[in-house]
Amino acid sequence: MDSGWLVPLSLVFGVIVGAGMVAIIVAAAQRGQRAVDVVSSAVPDGVDQVIDALESAGVVLDPSNNVVKVSPGALAFGLVSHQALVHAELVKLVDRVRRSGESLTEEVHIARGPFGDANLYLQVRVARLGARYILLLAEDRTEAYRLDDVRRDFVANISHELKTPIGAVSLLAEALAIAADDPEQVRKFAKRLTKESERLTRITQEIIELSRLQAADALAKPELVSIDHVVSLAIDQNHVAADASAVQLVSGGDHGATVYGDEALLVVALHNLIANAIQYSPSTSRIGIGVSNTDGIVEIAVTDQGIGIPEEDLDRVFERFFRIDPARSRNTGGSGLGLSIVKHVAHNHGGDVRVWSQVGNGSTFTIRLPEATDAGARTGEEK
């Protein structure tokens, strides 16, 4: 071959080899980037901020159904635990969208928490988020389902309980008019009238509070709540009554437990349990308030040394207006709504309330709540 052609052929061959090497390098880089995208837990830009700003429940899942970002609302509803969706119904919706690629909207009925009888009715929207992620959004529709029951219960409560103090006020007013010329009788009837009016006010307030707990979601704006602080506030609110009855309040157990919820409502629930324990405990006895935090469950137990509850009544103590000792409850101003309020507060927080009792040996009421976890917050930061 003519040596004059060697140089151009060498140049052409060099260009071809160089282009091939460049193509191989570019292809390898693209494959490497795709591999990085597959294993990376980073969600698309801006999604973190959107999920954090949601008042409703929002969850972002990767191809393995691991939760990589979750809103406070989803944690408060108990939808996520240990970086995974808790409810099989939601997992099925996510898998359907992953297979079909099409968004869907459905209403699901799921348990409020890992235990207890409370339920949630959620309007769930599931859609793809980019090529890799699935976005699940859930809006609470429970209130609409409960509204009719609340209206019916409210009317029943009013007709059942308020007629007694209202009738007493009417009779006492007539007695006052008849005894107008007898100062001693006037003072006597006026004192009883004041007592009945206070009882009427208390019952009305508790009926309204109970109806509110049934009608609206107590966790519309969930916050991290310190159980230590809840116990401290509830004990402080009952110190005067305990001192008046010569009953000692003692607290202990695990410290540092937190739950998602409404601190004021949890204080009301624990206050009611302590107040009941004081009411049914003898003088010089002790009431224990203990906290246990085990396996993701926070338990707040109130134990007394009181009269106890007959076994046949244990299933009824949380009913509205049910009283173990009606005469004693009326004398102390009890409405029979306190334990019902406790039950609804626990259910609205995804938990439940249990009772153990033995006649003559006292009772133990235990509120159980799901422990708050910051795992959802960490998954959004570990990128």
Side-chain angles (χ1 to χ4, degrees):
M1 180 181 291
D2 189 350
S3 60
W5 289 97
L6 293 176
V7 173
L9 287 174
S10 299
L11 290 174
V12 171
F13 180 74
V15 169
I16 293 173
V17 171
M21 292 298 294
V22 169
I24 292 172
I25 292 171
V26 170
Q30 291 175 341
R31 286 196 299 271
Q33 183 59 49
R34 285 196 294 271
V36 170
D37 291 340
V38 169
V39 300
S40 172
S41 62
V43 297
D45 290 342
V47 173
D48 274 354
Q49 292 83 350
V50 172
I51 295 296
D52 287 335
L54 285 177
E55 291 188 0
S56 57
V59 182
V60 178
L61 303 103
D62 68 11
S64 299
N65 277 356
N66 295 318
V67 174
V68 296
K69 187 63 183 178
V70 58
S71 72
L75 292 173
F77 286 153
L79 304 186
V80 173
S81 178
H82 300 96
Q83 296 181 238
L85 287 176
V86 172
H87 303 282
E89 298 92 335
L90 300 182
V91 175
K92 289 179 182 178
L93 295 181
V94 170
D95 290 341
R96 283 171 53 189
V97 171
R98 203 184 302 281
R99 288 193 301 267
S100 68
E102 298 181 358
S103 303
L104 61 83
T105 301
E106 287 193 9
E107 190 170 273
V108 296
H109 178 203
I110 60 176
R112 179 67 191 247
F115 42 81
D117 299 327
N119 295 305
L120 286 173
Y121 294 86
L122 298 178
Q123 188 80 16
V124 178
R125 173 76 172 172
V126 184
R128 283 193 172 275
L129 185 62
R132 181 169 181 264
Y133 297 98
I134 296 292
L135 174 64
L136 182 149
L137 300 174
E139 291 286 343
D140 187 14
R141 294 290 183 265
T142 309
E143 181 177 354
Y145 283 86
R146 291 187 292 191
L147 189 56
D148 288 341
D149 289 339
V150 171
R151 290 171 177 167
R152 183 168 55 252
D153 289 343
F154 188 85
V155 172
N157 291 342
I158 292 292
S159 61
H160 178 276
E161 191 67 15
L162 293 188
K163 62 183 180 182
T164 301
I166 289 174
V169 168
S170 176
L171 291 174
L172 287 169
E174 293 178 6
L176 275 173
I178 296 173
D181 297 330
D182 187 342
E184 184 177 348
Q185 288 295 316
V186 168
R187 285 193 295 269
K188 176 183 176 181
F189 290 136
K191 184 177 180 180
R192 291 180 57 188
L193 185 61
T194 300
K195 184 176 180 180
E196 289 295 333
S197 65
E198 290 174 350
R199 180 166 175 250
L200 182 60
T201 300
R202 188 181 306 110
I203 292 173
T204 303
Q205 290 173 342
E206 290 188 347
I207 289 176
I208 292 172
E209 178 66 18
L210 184 59
S211 299
R212 186 179 73 84
L213 286 172
Q214 291 178 271
D217 185 5
L219 300 185
K221 295 182 179 179
E223 297 179 348
L224 275 177
V225 177
S226 166
I227 295 301
D228 292 342
H229 195 223
V230 169
V231 171
S232 176
L233 290 175
I235 290 177
D236 286 345
Q237 292 178 3
N238 283 281
H239 259 311
V240 173
D243 291 343
S245 300
V247 172
Q248 183 181 6
L249 301 180
V250 181
S251 62
D254 297 335
H255 294 283
T258 57
V259 300
Y260 281 105
D262 186 310
E263 181 181 87
L265 289 179
L266 290 174
V267 171
V268 167
L270 187 55
H271 163 82
N272 286 353
L273 290 184
I274 298 174
N276 264 18
I278 294 171
Q279 178 178 329
Y280 290 100
S281 292
S283 298
T284 71
S285 64
R286 288 160 53 100
I287 294 173
I289 302 96
V291 177
S292 172
N293 185 8
T294 306
D295 297 331
I297 299 175
V298 178
E299 296 187 348
I300 313 171
V302 177
T303 302
D304 63 53
Q305 299 171 313
I307 62 176
I309 304 170
E311 185 176 355
E312 63 271 18
D313 291 336
L314 287 177
D315 293 335
R316 300 190 58 202
V317 293
F318 298 105
E319 294 178 5
R320 298 177 188 86
F321 303 114
F322 178 77
R323 300 181 179 92
I324 300 166
D325 184 349
R328 182 168 186 162
S329 295
R330 280 193 292 271
N331 291 336
T332 57
S335 66
L337 289 173
L339 291 179
S340 185
I341 289 174
V342 173
K343 181 186 73 172
H344 283 285
V345 170
H347 284 182
N348 281 357
H349 284 75
D352 65 5
V353 58
R354 298 181 173 185
V355 57
W356 172 92
S357 187
Q358 192 174 53
V359 174
N361 291 318
S363 306
T364 297
F365 286 84
T366 304
I367 298 174
R368 303 196 310 157
L369 304 169
E371 181 188 13
T373 172
D374 59 354
R378 288 198 304 269
T379 56
E381 296 170 358
E382 296 172 358
K383 300 179 182 178

